[in-house]
Amino acid sequence: MSEKSAIEKIKEASDHLRGTIRESLQDEVTGAIREDDQAVIKFHGMYQQDDRDRREERAAKKLERLYSFMIRLRLPGGFLTADQWIAVHDIAGNNSTGVIKITSRQTLQLHGIIKSKIKPTIQSFSEAKLDSIATCGDINRNVLCSSHPKESPVHEQVFAYADRISNLLMPKTKAYYEIWLDEEILVDKKEEEDPLYQNRYLPRKFKIAIAIPPNNDVDVFANDIGLIAVIEKDVLKGFNIAIGGGLSTTHGNAETYARLATVIGFADSEEKTLKAVYEIATIQRDYGNRSDRKLARLKYTLDKFGVDWFKTELEKRTGFALAPAKQYTFTSRKDHFGWSANAEGLWYYTAFVENGRILDDEKTALKSALLEIAKTGKTNFRFTCNQNVIISDIHADDKDLIDAILKKFRIDIDTEASSVVRKNSMACVAFPTCPLALAEAQRYLPSLIDKIELLLAKHSLSDEEIIIRMTGCPNGCARSYAAEIGFVGTAYGKYNMHLGGDRTGERLNTMYKENLTEEEILPELDELFGSFNTGRLPEETFGDYTNRKIFS
């Protein structure tokens, strides 16, 4: 048996994720926490980070790095009430940088929380009936679901599965409640025995998404488990189950690769769906790679043992065989901007949030607008996997009130004026806080889009809904490998350019050119847009065109 990785040993020795977090918090000499605890706190929903913009300055002054923490909420399906939004707004203002970040996994995270503010932050979240349990670490992460109720008359029925799955795969340990919420320390540890995670948890992070065709807005195939709702005549019949998706890679390591999930069958009931999801996680627990974390995701387990083996093992554990997969069709992968109504007549407004950053600055007052809207008590809030916000569940009698606030803060104008390519773009956090970043992403992509918009206009392509995504490293947080144009950071100011992904998230893109600067990216795109405009087939998308012309 291969030697366990260092993280595996930390998990097993952590006393069910308690570690020495209490002692780390009490150490006032440093803004950091102990090294082993940096792995353990991920399971509590946070990462230790530092301001990389200020590393050199602080090193010159012989100061330690400017440490802080990012905390991420658990929001299955990306749903918040108005009161909860007000709480998040206030917590962000009191304890973090003030910016509220919508992630590509449909939840919210706050950055810049210093060590002494972690506990007050989590306690404030708890008062709002929110938590950060299991949003990071080697565990099931935030469960995604198609966000817009317009997608289907049975959207709420499908949406409820996100919460059920989240609860089903929650860890049993009471560490979070003891450390952060001062609940009584558990004496009888039998109460937290965990048949799913045991004392070792999963070999790596585990992601689940639920899609409602024909819109693949959640990028369902980029997840360890993807559930595709099968709806016939407005009746939910069950779910096709796909496994083995994951986009993270490592530069220079040919053993790592992006992979889209494989559909393995159909579950025709809630009981079978939940049982299958649970047992897929147990197979990964038992057979996933625990010696090399770069090869520890479910996709590598699936490819190592094979799809047929996996289906047989799953049948053994569930006691039933999945039925053959049902037909489904994806035609898009986008958000519905502006006003729209669902089947029940409730109204929804989807506002564009560039790279998911909710703030007030010289360009936007979105943070103030959402607070004023929340204070009406007339809405809920939903977050999309494309990092946008839906002001949701508005009764017809209240629509004018909400619309007036949108107009007051020019949110409607900002959303309508943004180009389709900008609305379809997405970037990860990257610098200055992500320790893995090799290049800029969210701070840089908007200015690159400015220049790309000019090129599209030059070639009469401004209405083309091309999907562009950028990540500051190869780990894939903004799903660059599943974009029509993907930029993956290799060094500061340099990116690999990938082309040929499809419009619906059912085909990965392919490396086109490596280590390009902006001065090299723009001429490449200029030439590609020109040839696309003149050489495309009827209705052919840019991704399909580049895949056909360059890689076929």
Side-chain angles (χ1 to χ4, degrees):
M1 187 175 183
S2 300
E3 174 73 12
K4 292 175 184 175
S5 71
I7 299 295
E8 288 299 316
K9 295 173 183 176
I10 290 169
K11 286 186 290 188
E12 290 184 10
S14 71
D15 187 18
H16 294 282
L17 306 181
R18 290 171 178 83
T20 58
I21 294 174
R22 287 179 185 276
E23 292 80 358
S24 282
L25 293 173
Q26 290 165 1
D27 184 354
E28 297 179 1
V29 174
T30 175
I33 60 173
R34 297 176 181 181
E35 187 173 351
D36 284 5
D37 289 333
Q38 291 172 34
V40 177
I41 61 162
K42 292 178 182 179
F43 294 82
H44 297 244
M46 66 197 81
Y47 284 87
Q48 178 176 295
Q49 303 178 328
D50 75 282
D51 187 338
R52 295 178 64 180
D53 288 346
R54 299 185 62 184
R55 278 187 184 177
E56 289 186 19
E57 165 208 336
R58 293 181 68 82
K61 294 178 180 177
K62 295 185 168 42
L63 297 172
E64 77 168 4
R65 292 177 177 179
L66 188 58
Y67 291 111
S68 65
F69 294 79
M70 178 276 286
I71 297 182
R72 181 183 295 155
L73 287 175
R74 183 171 58 96
L75 302 177
F79 179 87
L80 272 187
T81 66
D83 286 344
Q84 288 173 325
W85 176 260
I86 293 169
V88 171
H89 177 281
D90 293 343
I91 294 164
N94 293 334
N95 296 349
S96 78
T97 61
V99 177
I100 301 169
K101 171 77 175 181
I102 306 172
T103 78
S104 58
R105 292 199 64 78
Q106 214 173 21
T107 186
L108 301 175
Q109 60 191 39
L110 303 181
H111 290 261
I113 300 168
I114 62 173
K115 187 166 74 171
S116 63
K117 290 284 191 178
I118 299 173
K119 193 167 181 176
T121 297
I122 292 179
Q123 289 180 340
S124 295
F125 280 139
S126 182
E127 288 170 11
K129 296 183 170 54
L130 295 169
D131 65 65
S132 61
I133 302 169
T135 54
C136 312
D138 301 341
I139 205 160
N140 177 57
R141 303 283 188 91
N142 198 53
V143 181
L144 311 185
C145 184
S146 290
S147 51
H148 206 300
K150 176 184 175 181
E151 297 296 352
S152 168
V154 296
H155 177 272
E156 287 304 304
Q157 186 182 353
V158 177
F159 187 83
Y161 275 84
D163 202 51
R164 288 180 197 136
I165 292 169
S166 181
N167 289 327
L168 178 69
L169 302 186
M170 280 281 282
K172 305 297 186 190
T173 174
K174 302 301 180 186
Y176 180 93
Y177 305 96
E178 291 176 8
I179 294 169
W180 308 112
L181 304 179
D182 294 327
E183 292 193 6
E184 189 174 340
I185 294 174
L186 195 65
V187 176
D188 184 1
K189 293 296 177 70
K190 286 185 178 180
E191 289 182 37
E192 62 177 7
E193 284 183 359
D194 199 327
L196 172 58
Y197 294 118
Q198 300 169 355
N199 71 333
R200 51 187 176 150
Y201 299 90
L202 295 177
R204 204 69 168 82
K205 58 188 173 185
F206 198 80
K207 298 180 176 181
I208 299 174
I210 306 167
I212 301 176
N215 191 2
N216 184 22
D217 58 331
V218 296
D219 265 317
V220 69
F221 299 109
N223 291 266
D224 296 273
I225 301 178
L227 301 179
I228 303 164
V230 176
I231 299 168
E232 298 174 1
K233 296 180 179 177
D234 295 340
V235 175
L236 177 63
K237 296 294 186 179
F239 295 91
N240 285 332
I241 298 178
I243 60 171
L247 301 184
S248 60
T249 70
T250 302
H251 287 316
N253 185 342
E255 290 186 294
T256 68
Y257 48 84
R259 187 190 194 282
L260 294 180
T262 301
V263 177
I264 60 169
F266 173 75
D268 62 4
S269 69
E270 177 181 337
E271 181 184 4
K272 287 183 178 178
T273 300
L274 296 179
K275 181 68 172 171
V277 165
Y278 185 93
E279 296 301 350
I280 290 166
T282 69
I283 295 173
Q284 169 64 353
R285 177 199 66 203
D286 294 340
Y287 289 95
N289 189 323
R290 291 184 182 268
S291 59
D292 186 345
R293 289 180 64 77
K294 295 185 187 305
L295 303 176
R297 291 288 296 277
L298 178 62
K299 60 184 175 181
Y300 300 114
T301 310
L302 181 62
D303 287 345
K304 176 181 178 181
F305 291 97
V307 173
D308 289 342
W309 174 91
F310 203 102
K311 289 170 70 173
T312 300
E313 182 65 22
L314 182 61
E315 185 176 341
K316 280 183 197 171
R317 296 186 182 214
T318 61
F320 60 84
L322 294 173
K326 301 281 190 180
Q327 285 292 113
Y328 63 91
T329 302
F330 287 119
T331 59
S332 64
R333 183 171 38 147
K334 63 183 183 180
D335 291 340
H336 304 287
F337 292 100
W339 283 108
S340 56
N342 73 350
E344 284 78 43
L346 292 175
W347 284 91
Y348 301 81
Y349 187 90
T350 304
F352 172 55
V353 186
E354 191 157 24
N355 297 320
R357 301 183 77 234
I358 296 176
L359 72 164
D360 291 346
D361 63 11
E362 66 280 359
K363 293 182 180 178
T364 179
L366 180 60
K367 191 178 174 189
S368 292
L370 295 181
L371 179 63
E372 189 163 322
I373 287 168
K375 285 181 175 178
T376 68
K378 305 292 187 183
T379 73
N380 293 311
F381 295 86
R382 299 171 189 261
F383 306 102
T384 81
C385 295
N386 294 310
Q387 299 179 306
N388 298 307
V389 60
I390 304 172
I391 303 156
S392 73
D393 310 298
I394 302 163
H395 290 278
D397 291 346
D398 299 320
K399 179 172 177 280
D400 287 347
L401 171 64
I402 304 305
D403 195 47
I405 299 172
L406 292 169
K407 286 181 165 56
K408 171 184 171 182
F409 289 95
R410 297 174 56 86
I411 304 305
D412 58 334
I413 294 172
D414 292 345
T415 295
E416 290 163 15
S418 297
S419 68
V420 290
V421 73
R422 191 176 296 274
K423 288 175 186 172
N424 283 339
S425 70
M426 184 159 61
C428 69
V429 171
F431 283 96
T433 54
C434 179
L436 303 177
L438 303 170
E440 295 279 4
Q442 74 174 14
R443 295 198 299 193
Y444 167 57
L445 184 59
S447 66
L448 182 63
I449 295 290
D450 289 342
K451 293 160 187 171
I452 291 173
E453 286 170 339
L454 296 176
L455 295 178
L456 290 167
K458 173 183 173 182
H459 296 289
S460 303
L461 296 171
S462 295
D463 292 332
E464 281 295 314
E465 296 201 7
I466 298 170
I467 296 172
I468 299 177
R469 294 172 177 174
M470 175 178 283
T471 52
C473 81
N475 283 299
C477 293
R479 303 193 289 276
S480 294
Y481 302 112
E484 290 178 90
I485 304 173
F487 296 106
V488 180
T490 57
Y492 205 85
K494 293 187 176 182
Y495 301 85
N496 290 343
M497 187 159 79
H498 295 243
L499 299 172
D502 65 2
R503 192 64 57 84
T504 58
E506 297 175 273
R507 181 182 67 236
L508 293 174
N509 53 31
T510 305
M511 171 91 78
Y512 175 58
K513 292 194 175 177
E514 296 182 82
N515 296 318
L516 301 183
T517 63
E518 182 179 292
E519 291 70 26
E520 294 166 314
I521 288 168
L522 293 173
E524 291 287 350
L525 290 178
D526 191 8
E527 184 177 339
L528 287 164
F529 291 155
S531 65
F532 171 57
N533 190 37
T534 56
R536 68 192 296 189
L537 301 174
E539 306 301 318
E540 190 172 32
T541 64
F542 181 76
D544 288 347
Y545 171 79
T546 53
N547 187 61
R548 174 173 66 86
K549 294 293 287 185
I550 299 172
F551 303 115
S552 296

